Amino acid sequence: MSTYSPLRWGFLGCGSIANRLGADVSKLSDHKIQAIASRDPEKAAKYAAKFDVPTQHTGPDAYTKLVNDPEIDIVYVATPHNFHREQVLLALNAGKHVLCEKPFTVNLKEAEELVAKAREKGLFLMEGVWSRCFPVWVKVRELIAEGAIGKVRQVYSDFGYGAGALDDNSQLVIGNPNGRLFSRELIGGGLMDVGVYPINIAMMLLGEPSVVKAFGQLGSTGVDENVAVVLGFPDGSLATCATSIQVTTPFVTTIIGTKGKIEVPFWWRPKSLILTADGHTQTLEFQHEGEGFQFEAMHVAECLRAGKTESEILPLEGTLAVMRTLDAVRVEIGLKYPGE
């Protein structure tokens, strides 16, 4: 049994991702979703009932009330991408630690502002890339550090899903062009929704690229629908990443080294890895309950209890490097968001 007092979470937003994280966090004995904030009282009440949340902050100033709630230890920002900057700043200025859902911000400029503010305040800040915290990826990092597959030279990773049928011009037929996924104003498209994942994993393994090349198709609403990215690294290693909202991709990350390879199926929330080295192939299983968001929450708690202001699994410089790379990809495919 844990000897720690429960880490008290305050959630900004109660949409799909907040429900998924809430489902796993609510089962941890040393964590508590203490408060939920939503401008919609009905949504807040429904969320609170579902996860036994004591406090509901609602109305036009719901988010301000939550970040100033003295019963909250850390704020989880689970709102649409374009609101991350203002809401992370709101929480940091209120003296709260923050976990912010990916993508961290719209662009590098916004990310740098948040990192500077967190460092100024001496507060913990982390981007919510939950994949990095899974036991499978902990093991992958250990295997690579041990030299199990030699020096890593290539990484292939993809994350795409079909969001509808295609018309005669190979663009998505969109029923609701104002929906989040298809709105430039809400930072829709595949790259920032799921493409950030394979790029993040490739950079976790290889560092920051020195060369970024990308090819992409923009749809009728101006968001990216189909993108391929090639990253070149200073040591000559390469990563190929693909994302799409036109087609469903294989969901496999393959890491190829000079002595073998590691394959991770369903890699963004994995339960196994396949190691091929020394002429042998073995599958390592890492079963767990729930979706696996608990690993991210547990890591955040470990950092806070150790007095850390950033994560060693995803340090702030790593987040800035990813945002710098995403900016470069968007230049390559001609994608700009409103206000840029």
Side-chain angles (χ1 to χ4, degrees):
M1 183 176 294
S2 174
T3 58
Y4 295 105
S5 298
L7 182 65
R8 301 170 300 176
W9 292 81
F11 280 26
L12 290 186
C14 50
S16 172
I17 195 69
N19 272 270
R20 293 167 67 194
L21 180 68
D24 287 342
V25 169
S26 63
K27 296 172 185 174
L28 298 174
S29 60
D30 58 347
H31 292 248
K32 175 66 177 175
I33 306 176
Q34 182 67 30
I36 180 71
S38 174
R39 294 188 175 95
D40 186 332
E42 185 176 342
K43 287 184 178 179
K46 184 177 179 180
Y47 191 96
K50 184 176 182 180
F51 297 117
D52 189 27
V53 181
T55 305
Q56 302 168 44
H57 297 293
T58 61
D61 59 346
Y63 297 157
T64 299
K65 288 189 289 188
L66 184 137
V67 301
N68 287 293
D69 187 334
E71 298 298 313
I72 298 300
D73 299 314
I74 182 165
V75 171
Y76 172 52
V77 176
T79 51
H81 315 330
N82 56 308
F83 297 117
H84 287 182
R85 173 191 167 274
E86 77 175 75
Q87 291 167 358
V88 172
L89 281 176
L90 188 70
L92 292 173
N93 282 322
K96 293 296 194 294
H97 304 296
V98 179
L99 173 68
C100 178
E101 191 52 54
K102 65 78 204 163
F104 192 57
T105 53
V106 172
N107 52 43
L108 177 63
K109 181 180 178 180
E110 290 186 357
E112 289 175 332
E113 182 181 10
L114 300 188
V115 169
K117 179 60 69 174
R119 288 173 172 167
E120 172 195 328
K121 296 282 188 177
L123 294 166
F124 179 85
L125 176 61
M126 177 180 162
E127 183 180 10
V129 184
W130 65 314
S131 302
R132 289 200 183 201
C133 302
F134 275 79
V136 166
W137 284 110
V138 174
K139 185 62 176 179
V140 168
R141 291 191 292 266
E142 290 175 354
L143 288 169
I144 291 174
E146 293 166 2
I149 61 170
K151 186 171 178 60
V152 176
R153 304 307 294 149
Q154 292 190 357
V155 173
Y156 297 86
S157 189
D158 65 80
F159 196 157
Y161 59 94
L166 299 183
D167 63 19
D168 293 339
N169 295 315
S170 296
Q171 292 188 337
L172 283 167
V173 178
I174 299 170
N176 178 17
N178 297 317
R180 181 192 64 81
L181 186 61
F182 304 108
S183 168
R184 285 178 62 250
E185 288 71 21
L186 297 178
I187 320 303
L191 181 66
M192 299 298 261
D193 194 51
V194 291
V196 61
Y197 280 116
I199 290 172
N200 208 295
I201 286 297
M203 292 177 63
M204 177 186 77
L205 298 169
L206 296 172
E208 185 168 5
S210 52
V211 178
V212 178
K213 295 294 182 183
F215 309 88
Q217 177 188 8
L218 304 185
S220 59
T221 63
V223 302
D224 62 288
E225 294 186 356
N226 209 26
V227 179
V229 179
V230 178
L231 305 177
F233 297 85
D235 68 350
S237 56
L238 299 171
T240 303
C241 304
T243 188
S244 182
I245 55 174
Q246 291 186 349
V247 295
T248 300
T249 62
F251 302 138
V252 176
T253 290
T254 304
I255 306 156
I256 304 173
T258 53
K259 297 180 180 179
K261 66 179 180 178
I262 298 170
E263 296 169 274
V264 185
F266 296 101
W267 60 269
W268 78 96
R269 52 177 186 183
K271 292 187 176 182
S272 66
L273 66 87
I274 304 164
L275 171 64
T276 301
D278 300 321
H280 301 284
T281 297
Q282 60 178 314
T283 299
L284 304 180
E285 301 281 350
F286 297 81
Q287 297 301 317
H288 57 79
E289 295 182 356
E291 285 199 72
F293 282 98
Q294 66 267 30
F295 301 118
E296 179 179 62
M298 291 161 61
H299 175 64
V300 168
E302 289 170 3
C303 290
L304 290 176
R305 287 163 182 162
K308 298 178 180 178
T309 55
E310 59 184 284
S311 160
E312 68 275 7
I313 290 178
L314 182 52
L316 294 175
E317 290 301 325
T319 285
L320 293 177
V322 169
M323 293 308 308
R324 191 158 32 244
T325 302
L326 290 170
D327 280 5
V329 169
R330 291 198 294 114
V331 169
E332 287 278 305
I333 66 175
L335 175 60
K336 279 191 173 185
Y337 298 123
E340 290 190 310

